Amino acid sequence: MSLTSDPPIDPSAGTADGPPAEKAVGKAADPGTDYGELTVVPARHPWRWVAVAVTAVLVAQFINGLVTNPGWEWDVFAQFFSAPIILKAVWLTLQLTVYGTVLGFALGIVLAFMRLSASPFLRTVAYGYIWAFRSIPLIVQLLFWFNLAYLYKELQFGIPFGPGFFTFDTMNLVGAVSAAVLGLALHQAAYAAEIVRGGVLAVGSGQLEAASALGIPKLRQLRRIVLPQAMRSILPNAANEIISLFKGTSIVSVMAIGELFYQVQVVYGRSGRVVPLLMVATAWYIILTTALSIIQYYVERHYAKGAVR
């Protein structure tokens, strides 16, 4: 008996436009059909192959220009790539990057938890710092710290609004490299704070509530529950900031600090070989950025244990 409201269909009955239903189905409905005899035709993507061909031609032309164009002066590039003055500049660039990253993220972590604090005063101070240092261009901050002695001849440490016990001369206290590190670190801290705060907020609040119910101390919750999970969100953005800081160290050349870009400028200013010296700087930036990306990959893989990808 049919359970639907449709009338039963007689298989032997034909239709007005064709043969009976069983015959209309044909070989496709036959249980004995051999599907191995069917020809499988892959989907064709002609425009994809056109795009591949055009891209390959452009890449080949670019490589051919690099090899055959004498304007690149690869002999000059090879001469200065490992020159002592360039290696020394690369080392100073790495130092600026490391100091700026360590100090910037240390302060950024403090600012992130100040923004997450229940205290309105701490949240306001942290937000004001982040707003100010993200609004002021980095070059302005660097020049400000470099000229700190113009505003403050000396710094005193003692009772607030009272007598001072220790006095420091700012002219000798903040040199060019110190001003560069200070400016890079304070600028980096504003961005690091938001990166860390976003990673912490990505951890579900229910886990902290469960940890509190089990009596786990706050510091242990942060170290064993929050940070291992937050690192999966923090690391990609943090790595981007570190790489940007590494390349952004070139801006300290305005303070006549002998980092990579400044030394390249000095050399091609004397020799007139602008393009090959710029390629020296470009090659070093690419090599070191690639190294940082490889480190990022392995650190991310370490913190991704047990995570679903």
Side-chain angles (χ1 to χ4, degrees), residues 9-293:
I9 299 175
D10 184 4
S12 61
T15 61
D17 298 329
E22 184 177 359
K23 295 182 180 179
V25 174
K27 293 183 66 178
D30 188 357
T33 301
D34 184 8
Y35 292 101
E37 297 179 356
L38 300 178
T39 302
V40 179
V41 180
R44 294 180 174 85
H45 303 280
W47 290 110
R48 180 185 300 176
W49 288 106
V50 171
V52 170
V54 171
T55 305
V57 170
L58 293 176
V59 171
Q61 287 182 326
F62 177 72
I63 295 175
N64 179 69
L66 287 177
V67 175
T68 59
N69 191 339
W72 293 105
E73 299 184 270
W74 293 113
D75 55 334
V76 179
F77 170 86
Q79 177 186 352
F80 286 100
F81 179 76
S82 58
I85 188 174
I86 298 297
L87 296 179
K88 184 178 179 181
V90 170
W91 174 241
L92 180 57
T93 301
L94 288 174
Q95 286 181 304
L96 291 173
T97 303
V98 171
Y99 294 151
T101 299
V102 172
L103 296 177
F105 273 87
L107 179 58
I109 291 172
V110 175
L111 291 170
F113 284 100
M114 286 175 64
R115 285 212 63 187
L116 295 171
S117 171
S119 170
F121 177 76
L122 294 179
R123 290 201 306 269
T124 302
V125 171
Y127 178 79
Y129 178 95
I130 294 169
W131 166 77
F133 280 85
R134 289 198 304 183
S135 302
I136 303 173
L138 177 58
I139 189 172
V140 176
Q141 298 179 39
L142 292 173
L143 292 175
F144 172 80
W145 293 114
F146 187 60
N147 295 281
L148 182 63
Y150 177 79
L151 294 175
Y152 302 99
K153 305 299 181 183
E154 58 183 18
L155 296 177
Q156 291 185 351
F157 293 91
I159 300 175
F161 306 103
F165 301 129
F166 303 98
T167 303
F168 299 94
D169 183 10
T170 54
M171 182 64 71
N172 300 321
L173 180 64
V174 181
V177 177
S178 301
V181 171
L182 187 61
L184 292 172
L186 294 178
H187 179 79
Q188 187 71 14
Y191 294 91
E194 291 298 277
I195 292 173
V196 174
R197 186 175 70 92
V200 173
L201 291 176
V203 180
S205 59
Q207 300 187 44
L208 297 180
E209 294 174 359
S212 299
L214 293 173
I216 300 177
K218 291 288 186 182
L219 185 59
R220 188 182 180 91
Q221 292 180 28
L222 176 65
R223 185 170 56 89
R224 304 291 293 181
I225 298 176
V226 176
L227 286 182
Q229 298 180 76
M231 287 297 287
R232 292 198 291 267
S233 299
I234 292 173
L235 278 174
N237 296 321
N240 286 337
E241 281 299 316
I242 294 171
I243 291 174
S244 297
L245 178 63
F246 167 67
K247 295 182 295 184
T249 55
S250 60
I251 203 170
V252 305
S253 61
V254 299
M255 303 162 63
I257 297 176
E259 50 79 45
L260 178 59
F261 186 66
Y262 178 81
Q263 291 295 359
V264 164
Q265 286 180 307
V266 170
V267 174
Y268 75 60
R270 295 173 180 174
S271 64
R273 299 293 191 267
V274 178
V275 173
L277 266 300
L278 288 178
M279 286 301 298
V280 168
T282 301
W284 275 113
Y285 282 125
I286 290 175
I287 291 171
L288 296 176
T289 300
T290 303
L292 290 173
S293 300

